[in-house]
Amino acid sequence: MPISLSLPRADGGVEAYTLAGTPTSRPSGVPVFSRIAYAAAHVVSDPRRDTRPWEAPAVDWDATMAFRHHLWSLGFRIAEAMDTAQRGMGLDWAGAQELIRRSLADARTVSGADLACGAGTDHLNPAAARSLDDVIAAYEEQVGFVEKHGGRAIMMASRALARLAKSPDDYRKVYGRILGQAKDKVVLHWLGDMFDPQLKGYWGSDSFEPALDAVLSIIDENRDKVEGIKISLLENAKEVALRDRLPEGVLCFTGDDFNYAELIEGDGRKYSHALLGIFDAVAPQASMALASLAAGDVATFRSVIEPTVPLSRKIFEAPTQYYKAGVVFLAWLNGHQDHFTMPAGMQSARGALHYADVFRLADQANVLDKPDVAAERMKSLMSVLGVR
């Protein structure tokens, strides 16, 4: 029997919506991909213990770890304690340390499980940083913590460095120092200011070409310590420009949640690997698509992954930094957690119209694993938000 519910429209009205999607089947075993695929994973809050969600949000560690096992079972590596986990927007360094410790420990219990951990400077208040040495010391603390616990680092962009740096040479100094000390190869992180306005002018310029030249010079000077770079500028031409100029052996990881399908497939000459927040929300579909691509079945890759792109573009629409709300919304709809609350109350960053659009697009992309459960949960949310 068709499942229907009432959803709001942009004109203030309400319309009946009937679900039409088909849940995506799960693989019989852990699939093998021809692209390296990191899923940046969210954290699950604990509303039963959350007395100060803005200042000291409580985390449901059992549900948080269970979600990581879900991602590993689908063939993904995990990008841990990254922007998707609300670093600097609900998860502080103390919480990130606990998350990193737990994830690294759990990974050792799962055959083939892999992850890399975000290391930045978010415990350093950008306004309190007085010199590049302060930034270096902050990076040293976080990279050192990851390595101490047996992990590999993703060197996250630094708000403090963006505020203090006067030229590309300042970035070369900081990155050169940290990369020179790293035990293992590091993934760099180019996060655009649409994700974090405080990162405007990163690499020493507001313009793309000078910034590209600066980061390539850093990579070239430290290529034996750089596994690759994740670029999240939401413009595929810029990613291709970076990808085409990377030194041999240095990987490009797409962080483009608008154009990932074509960037992962490639242009016949080169392709991007992936480090994406949207993979948290569409993991079964991305897994099936990537496994199909590895088997040479490009048609299935496209037919499965392309319908997720409009959904991702809606989730990551401006203000883009609030995309985490859509990611967790889908985790709730799909039964990975029994509530829709987030650290720092981030679920309130989007409204009923946004969630209604995400719901429709998720259905059309076959992302709703249990349509009846998703519909009931959506009805309850709409009721709370005043949609009758």
Side-chain angles (χ1 to χ4, degrees):
M1 185 173 180
I3 301 171
S4 298
L5 69 163
S6 296
L7 296 176
R9 299 192 310 256
D11 64 4
V14 174
E15 68 179 8
Y17 179 80
T18 300
L19 278 72
T22 302
T24 301
S25 61
R26 297 297 193 270
S28 57
V30 179
V32 176
F33 303 152
S34 56
R35 308 289 192 263
I36 297 171
Y38 285 96
H42 74 283
V43 294
V44 182
S45 67
D46 186 349
R48 299 163 190 82
R49 297 190 301 111
D50 222 345
T51 57
R52 293 187 296 127
W54 284 15
E55 294 86 11
V59 174
D60 182 336
W61 292 113
D62 289 342
T64 295
M65 290 300 109
F67 193 79
R68 275 113 185 103
H69 286 265
H70 158 70
L71 293 173
W72 283 321
S73 75
L74 292 169
F76 293 101
R77 301 184 185 188
I78 291 175
E80 190 54 280
M82 298 289 292
D83 187 62
T84 305
Q86 295 182 237
R87 284 290 292 273
M89 294 184 73
L91 187 73
D92 61 11
W93 174 229
Q97 287 175 292
E98 182 70 10
L99 179 60
I100 289 166
R101 276 195 298 263
R102 287 174 179 265
S103 290
L104 287 170
D106 266 31
R108 297 185 190 102
T109 71
V110 178
S111 177
D114 197 2
L115 74 162
C117 304
T121 67
D122 51 318
H123 63 292
L124 173 64
N125 185 334
R130 295 289 178 259
S131 69
L132 296 181
D133 288 337
D134 291 341
V135 177
I136 290 170
Y139 268 128
E140 287 175 336
E141 177 178 338
Q142 294 204 13
V143 173
F145 179 87
V146 171
E147 293 181 339
K148 173 185 173 183
H149 288 82
R152 305 188 324 278
I154 300 170
M155 194 172 171
M156 298 175 69
S158 166
R159 292 173 175 173
L161 179 56
R163 189 183 74 83
L164 287 172
K166 305 301 182 186
S167 71
D169 286 339
D170 289 338
Y171 288 88
R172 291 189 188 94
K173 175 182 177 179
V174 172
Y175 277 79
R177 180 80 66 85
I178 301 305
L179 292 170
Q181 297 172 354
K183 292 180 181 178
D184 297 311
K185 286 191 174 183
V186 172
V187 174
L188 304 185
H189 189 215
W190 188 349
L191 192 67
D193 59 13
M194 69 288 295
F195 287 91
D196 186 343
Q198 294 186 58
L199 298 178
K200 185 173 176 59
Y202 213 74
W203 308 119
S205 177
D206 289 334
S207 299
F208 174 69
E209 289 297 338
L212 177 62
D213 290 340
V215 73
L216 285 169
S217 71
I218 291 170
I219 292 171
D220 191 59
E221 291 165 9
N222 302 276
R223 66 171 67 185
D224 60 329
K225 289 294 185 72
V226 178
E227 176 188 354
I229 178 169
K230 173 201 172 176
I231 178 169
S232 302
L233 300 183
L234 304 184
E235 291 187 45
N236 55 353
K238 291 180 178 179
E239 179 170 323
V240 170
L242 169 66
R243 189 172 73 190
D244 284 346
R245 292 179 59 186
L246 285 174
E248 187 71 25
V250 177
L251 306 178
C252 181
F253 292 94
T254 186
D256 188 336
D257 299 278
F258 282 8
N259 304 293
Y260 52 91
E262 62 191 88
L263 290 162
I264 292 169
E265 181 177 339
D267 57 13
R269 299 180 305 107
K270 295 184 178 182
Y271 56 78
S272 296
H273 300 277
L275 197 166
L276 288 162
I278 192 57
F279 279 178
D280 179 299
V282 301
Q285 296 71 41
S287 176
M288 177 181 285
L290 288 165
S292 299
L293 185 63
D297 186 353
V298 177
T300 298
F301 168 79
R302 292 174 179 170
S303 69
V304 175
I305 204 166
E306 286 179 356
T308 70
V309 174
L311 168 64
S312 185
R313 291 180 175 178
K314 170 54 64 172
I315 290 173
F316 284 78
E317 70 181 356
T320 301
Q321 65 265 36
Y322 300 139
Y323 76 88
K324 296 93 166 171
V327 168
V328 177
F329 172 61
L330 287 176
W332 173 57
L333 291 183
N334 282 327
H336 295 291
Q337 53 195 79
D338 59 8
H339 59 83
F340 182 37
T341 62
M342 298 174 66
M346 184 64 71
Q347 71 276 4
S348 66
R350 301 293 200 186
L353 288 173
H354 177 85
Y355 290 126
D357 286 342
V358 170
F359 183 89
R360 295 184 187 95
L361 290 167
D363 173 52
Q364 293 158 20
N366 302 314
V367 169
L368 300 180
D369 291 338
K370 300 175 182 178
D372 54 341
V373 173
E376 285 304 312
R377 291 186 170 190
M378 188 63 178
K379 289 176 184 177
S380 69
L381 177 64
M382 290 296 100
S383 177
V384 168
L385 295 178
V387 178
R388 301 289 190 270

